[in-house]
């Protein structure tokens, strides 16, 4: 099967915000405790942070990490995580039916983020709490000194403010599972007043208002319309969340799920434009896709904890999906979708970073290791920063019950900012046929392949583990450029990243 792609220097989508490749650490399962923080571990530093995990996070070059939730934040008292550790209360977390020790709070997480060379994206509780707690948290985090909350931060050992730029106004407030669920009007009004108060402190912070938890919510997309009608001129982003499943083990459908993602983005982009026109506004609101991943492998094993059958355990194993080769292909397609829609999707957070539906896993008192999905995330983060190209693609497609003409080739291209190179990310969705790809480079002088990485040849259910990581990239050897055309054969069910000088 043949595929024709054209990349033209003058046809671009947008400059990619590096925060498109962010991630997420929630107080959930082992994401924090025995994930990023395990004082007794052999690799732990003087603060208890696992250096082996930090090394893998820095390998991914994660630009921003959302914290502390997630569902957790909707009943969280941020004040529980400050002051002497021995005086911090243990709280029952209603979101995940566990106990929270509060041994890691804003000070500890901020220190970890600095060591991980990433920025913080903080969420405020608009479920069980509201405006006052949000403005107090902002003052504690960002004010230099001379006020109650900023002086309390200094008393607690942090002299300088952290200067956090990006703030989430709650989490998934449309969800019936959420503590403090609200109607769109209730939430829109609360978010508007909270945004107004936070901007009275600092007009230059960036605010993210809650959109739909999934496109399957009965209120979608009316929720976005109502919330933005209240908040449009007060916020910068609206958040979207989406998780991808394959319970029926239908490979064709699973690999096509990113088409639903494209529709989701396009729908909310249209809502944003509608509200902008209605309000005669001069500003733009973008999408923060701050939760996304494959999530279904661990659903059954998590039920006893979530149903309360184990009491209130501290940091139990929850949402620990073990990813396989099929998930590599799906994550590759998702990331390609975000690159192609970087005109409207500016922030993205892979949910999550460590242990909880994550590319990095740990063994308590043992090693940290890379899941299969580590690699498409790695390549997009490292080589997908720059300007997204508007590619013309001609290839056969297939039908599903939810999407028509799903292209067998999923591809995104980026003119990279750091070195002027070209990066192409390619997935062959076909289960049995190779794709002979011819990619025309119009207006580009790139003439040599400098990197060619391929993940291919594994059973779809093949996984990595703490003892070995068999699903890993290998060097491709057949990509070539002749007369301004890149030629490469993509094996069936394969992921590939090619860099041109």
């Amino acid at each position: 099967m043949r595929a024709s792609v054209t990349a033209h220097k003058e046809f671009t989508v947008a400059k990619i915000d590096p925060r498109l490749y962010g991630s997420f650490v929630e107080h959930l399962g082992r994401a924090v405790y025995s994930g990023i923080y395990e004082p007794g571990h052999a690799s732990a530093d003087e603060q208890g942070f696992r250096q082996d995990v930090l090394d893998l996070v820095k390998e991914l070059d994660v630009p921003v990490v959302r914290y502390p939730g997630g569902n957790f934040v909707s009943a969280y008292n941020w004040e529980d995580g400050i002051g002497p550790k021995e005086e911090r209360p243990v709280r029952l977390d209603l979101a995940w039916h566990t106990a929270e020790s509060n041994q890691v709070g804003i000070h500890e997480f901020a220190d970890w983020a600095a060591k991980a060379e990433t920025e913080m994206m903080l969420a405020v509780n608009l479920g069980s709490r509201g405006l006052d707690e949000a403005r107090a948290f902002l003052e504690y985090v960002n004010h230099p000194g001379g006020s109650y909350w900023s002086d309390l931060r200094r008393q607690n050992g942090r002299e300088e403010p952290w200067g956090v730029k990006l703030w989430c106004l709650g989490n998934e407030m449309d969800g019936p599972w959420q503590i403090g669920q609200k109607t769109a009007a209730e939430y829109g009004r609360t978010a508007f007043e909270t945004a107004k108060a936070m901007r009275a402190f600092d007009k230059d912070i960036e605010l993210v208002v809650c959109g739909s938890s999934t496109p399957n919510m009965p209120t979608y997309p009316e929720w976005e319309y109502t919330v933005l009608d209240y908040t449009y001129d007060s916020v910068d982003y609206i958040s979207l969340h989406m998780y991808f499943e394959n319970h029926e083990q239908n490979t064709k459908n699973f690999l096509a799920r990113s088409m639903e993602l494209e529709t989701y983005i396009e729908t909310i982009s249209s809502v944003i434009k509608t509200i902008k026109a209605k309000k005669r506004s001069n500003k733009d609101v973008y999408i923060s896709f701050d939760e996304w991943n494959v999530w279904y492998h661990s659903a059954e094993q998590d039920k006893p904890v979530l149903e309360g059958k184990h009491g209130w355990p501290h940091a139990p194993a929850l949402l620990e999906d073990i990813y396989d080769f099929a998930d590599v292909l799906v994550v590759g397609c998702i990331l390609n979708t975000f690159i192609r829609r970087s005109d409207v999707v500016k922030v993205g957070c892979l949910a999550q970073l460590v242990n909880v539906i994550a590319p990095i896993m740990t063994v308590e008192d043992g090693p940290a290791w890379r899941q299969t999905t580590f690699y498409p995330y790695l390549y997009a983060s490292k080589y997908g920063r720059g300007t997204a190209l508007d590619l013309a693609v001609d290839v056969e497609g297939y039908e599903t019950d939810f999407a028509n003409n799903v292209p067998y080739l999923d591809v995104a291209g980026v003119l990279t900012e750091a070195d002027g190179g070209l990066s192409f990310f390619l997935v062959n969705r076909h289960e049995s046929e190779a794709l002979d790809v011819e990619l025309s480079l119009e207006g580009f002088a790139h003439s040599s392949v400098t990197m060619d990485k391929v993940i291919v040849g594994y059973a779809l259910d093949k996984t990595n583990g703490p003892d070995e990581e068999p699903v890993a990239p290998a060097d491709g050897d057949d990509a070539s450029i002749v007369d301004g055309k890149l030629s490469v054969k993509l094996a069936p069910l394969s992921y590939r990243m090619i860099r041109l000088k």
Side-chain angles (χ1 to χ4, degrees), residues 136-336:
F137 190 27
L138 175 61
E139 181 184 316
Y140 187 91
V141 169
N142 279 9
H143 194 56
S147 69
Y148 175 81
W149 290 110
S150 60
D151 286 347
L152 183 58
R153 181 198 69 242
R154 297 168 71 186
Q155 179 183 318
N156 287 331
R158 172 73 185 193
E159 186 69 23
E160 297 300 319
W162 288 292
V164 174
K165 185 82 168 175
L166 193 55
W167 294 80
C168 301
L169 301 175
N171 174 76
E172 293 185 355
M173 298 311 300
D174 61 334
W177 56 85
Q178 207 69 216
I179 302 299
Q181 178 197 12
K182 294 173 173 58
T183 66
E186 289 170 340
Y187 171 68
R189 182 66 181 169
T190 298
F192 169 73
E193 291 295 344
T194 304
K196 184 170 70 176
M198 293 176 77
R199 289 213 186 277
F201 172 83
D202 182 355
K203 63 180 177 56
D204 293 325
I205 56 174
E206 295 178 280
L207 299 178
V208 185
V209 73
C210 291
S212 291
S213 303
T214 80
N216 300 320
M217 298 298 291
T219 54
Y220 162 81
E222 183 181 352
W223 172 277
E224 282 81 1
Y225 184 94
T226 301
V227 168
L228 285 175
D229 203 18
Y230 278 98
T231 64
Y232 189 90
D233 287 313
S234 302
V235 300
D236 303 283
Y237 307 94
I238 186 162
S239 73
L240 300 182
H241 296 173
M242 190 172 188
Y243 293 98
F244 302 82
E245 303 174 348
N246 188 24
H247 290 291
E248 70 278 11
Q249 296 299 303
N250 184 318
T251 301
K252 282 189 172 182
N253 280 357
F254 190 40
L255 297 183
R257 289 297 175 188
S258 60
M259 302 297 289
E260 294 182 311
L261 173 62
E262 291 197 20
T263 300
Y264 193 13
I265 293 169
E266 179 56 31
T267 299
I268 301 309
S269 176
S270 298
V271 173
I272 292 170
K273 291 175 183 175
T274 299
I275 296 298
K276 180 179 181 178
K278 176 183 177 182
K279 292 184 172 295
R280 313 301 202 264
S281 179
N282 293 322
K283 76 186 294 285
D284 290 311
V285 169
Y286 297 100
I287 290 172
S288 172
F289 221 110
D290 46 45
E291 285 189 34
W292 68 269
N293 208 341
V294 174
W295 175 17
Y296 74 98
H297 297 281
S298 61
E300 288 302 315
Q301 69 195 40
D302 291 339
K303 284 182 178 179
V305 173
L306 299 180
E307 292 171 356
K309 295 178 180 178
H310 292 173
W312 298 86
H314 178 257
L318 281 174
L319 280 64
E320 296 200 6
D321 275 32
I322 302 301
Y323 291 119
D324 56 28
F325 174 56
D327 300 322
V328 172
L329 305 176
V330 171
V331 168
C333 290
I334 295 167
L335 288 162
N336 283 353

Side-chain angles (χ1 to χ4, degrees), residues 416-430:
T416 55
E417 190 171 49
D419 60 2
L422 283 172
S423 300
F424 293 101
F425 308 92
L426 308 103
V427 176
N428 182 357
R429 289 186 172 107
H430 206 291

Side-chain angles (χ1 to χ4, degrees), residues 354-485:
V354 184
N355 285 333
V356 174
I357 48 174
I360 300 169
M361 298 295 292
T362 72
V363 176
E364 193 168 358
D365 296 321
W369 52 279
R370 300 171 187 82
Q371 292 246 50
T372 62
T373 54
F374 183 95
Y375 297 103
Y377 179 28
L378 168 72
Y379 291 135
S381 176
K382 289 182 72 71
Y383 305 115
R385 305 189 188 197
T387 299
L389 303 177
D390 189 4
L391 305 178
V393 182
D394 183 12
V395 66
E396 291 182 32
Y398 65 94
E399 306 298 310
T400 72
D401 56 1
F402 57 85
N404 298 320
N405 195 29
V406 179
Y408 282 113
L409 173 65
D410 190 278
V411 58
V414 177
L415 178 63
T416 55
E417 190 171 49
D419 60 2
L422 283 172
S423 300
F424 293 101
F425 308 92
L426 308 103
V427 176
N428 182 357
R429 289 186 172 107
H430 206 291
E431 295 181 72
S432 59
E433 289 192 37
L435 282 173
D436 289 311
V437 179
E438 184 178 82
L439 199 158
S440 297
L441 303 168
E442 302 291 339
F444 294 103
H446 299 68
S447 58
S448 61
V449 176
T450 58
M451 185 181 294
D452 184 358
K453 297 293 183 180
V454 60
I455 309 176
V456 67
Y458 303 98
L460 288 171
D461 61 356
K462 186 66 173 176
T463 61
N464 291 346
D467 298 322
E468 61 173 352
E469 300 174 7
V471 181
D475 289 330
D477 59 7
D478 66 334
S480 62
I481 300 176
V482 177
D483 296 331
K485 292 183 179 181

Side-chain angles (χ1 to χ4, degrees), residues 66-84:
R66 183 171 173 244
Y67 175 86
N71 293 351
F72 174 81
V73 80
S74 291
Y76 178 54
N77 299 333
W78 66 269
E79 304 94 325
D80 291 342
I82 62 175

